[in-house]
Amino acid sequence: MTNLQIFLDIATETALAAGAVLQGYLGKVEDAITEKGRPGDLVTVADKASEEVILQALGRHFPNHAILTEESGKLGNQNNEFLWAIDPLDGTTNFAHQYPFFAVSIGLLINGVPQVGVIYDPFHDELFRAAQNMGATRNRSPIQVSDTSELSKSLLVTGFAYDRRETSDNNYAEFCHLTHLTQGVRRSGSASLDLAHVACGRLDGYWERGLSPWDIAAGIIIVREAGGKVTAYDRTPVKIESGRILATNGHLHDSLSQELLQVQSQGIGDR
Ligand code: IPD
Ligand code: CA
Ligand code: CA
């Protein structure tokens, strides 16, 4: 078995265990929801319990690897070439409102490049996985991106970061612009599932700013292995720390990139 297969299998069993923890807390966290800083940026006992399960499992299997999680930050030897980027509950606002769209996201970067990704949606029992050059799957069956090649026929998804009240670079203008050009732009509240749904062809493209590595590390490799394309808005290589990402089925990549750059250059939205 290759190392990537071992990483993928351990990430999978870990995500399934963490997902079961989330599912157990669903509808039971009302008294234990707090705001982390910015309005609307919530954390619950479920985020922490899921993270604990993941940290214990990865720490046991890979004690020398670096770890970056949403709730605990940087752990382990940050100089190690292996970095696990983990969101124990992606879609916390949905979860807190019992809106069933949330996931566990576990990505492994090797020398800064996402190479293994597992995203588990426990409510729908959907498991999305991929490893470099090994393809992408949903519930262990191969998946691929859609073949939609015109924006006018596409269904897109995006999101709005927690700093949206503090900056004019809040993605509202881009959202309005693309809503006019497409069959629709969804806002699901879970970046990892947005990427997973692009990978399996339910959505044709996704863009967002203000993200963190744990939101997108797993999804990047899953979209790529499903035949899609992931870059920065301007089609240069994605920088995971920048928090800005454009992920599409490939066919729409150039046109969606051009529209995003056009909105940004025109300063639509009072920018
Ligand atoms: C958030 C979700 C949301 C995205 C936000 C993220 P959280 O993660 O992925 O879709 O728009 O930018 O922060 O807080 O639910 O883990
Ligand atoms: Ca997240
Ligand atoms: Ca989270």
Side-chain angles (χ1 to χ4, degrees), residues 127-203:
L127 174 69
F128 299 90
R129 322 195 299 160
Q132 183 102 38
N133 299 324
M134 292 169 63
T137 60
R138 174 194 156 272
N139 289 352
R140 303 178 197 263
S141 296
I143 50 172
Q144 60 183 37
V145 293
S146 68
D147 57 12
T148 308
S149 58
E150 293 168 48
L151 274 180
S152 62
K153 296 194 172 135
S154 69
L155 182 63
L156 307 181
V157 66
T158 190
F160 306 98
Y162 295 113
D163 67 357
R164 57 188 175 265
R165 298 172 187 83
E166 300 152 29
T167 172
S168 60
D169 183 15
N170 51 22
N171 199 29
Y172 295 170
E174 291 84 343
F175 176 76
C176 290
H177 184 71
L178 268 310
T179 296
H180 282 261
L181 296 182
T182 60
Q183 292 188 346
V185 182
R186 300 291 177 254
R187 192 282 201 243
S188 79
S190 170
S192 62
L193 285 181
D194 293 342
L195 286 161
H197 288 204
V198 170
C200 69
R202 291 172 183 159
L203 297 163

Side-chain angles (χ1 to χ4, degrees), residues 41-42 70 87 89-93 159-162 187-192 194 208-211 214-215:
D41 191 357
L42 309 178
E70 174 156 23
D87 194 336
L89 170 45
D90 184 43
T92 298
T93 307
F160 306 98
Y162 295 113
R187 192 282 201 243
S188 79
S190 170
S192 62
D194 293 342
E208 191 165 343
R209 60 158 292 279
L211 295 161
W214 50 77
D215 296 313

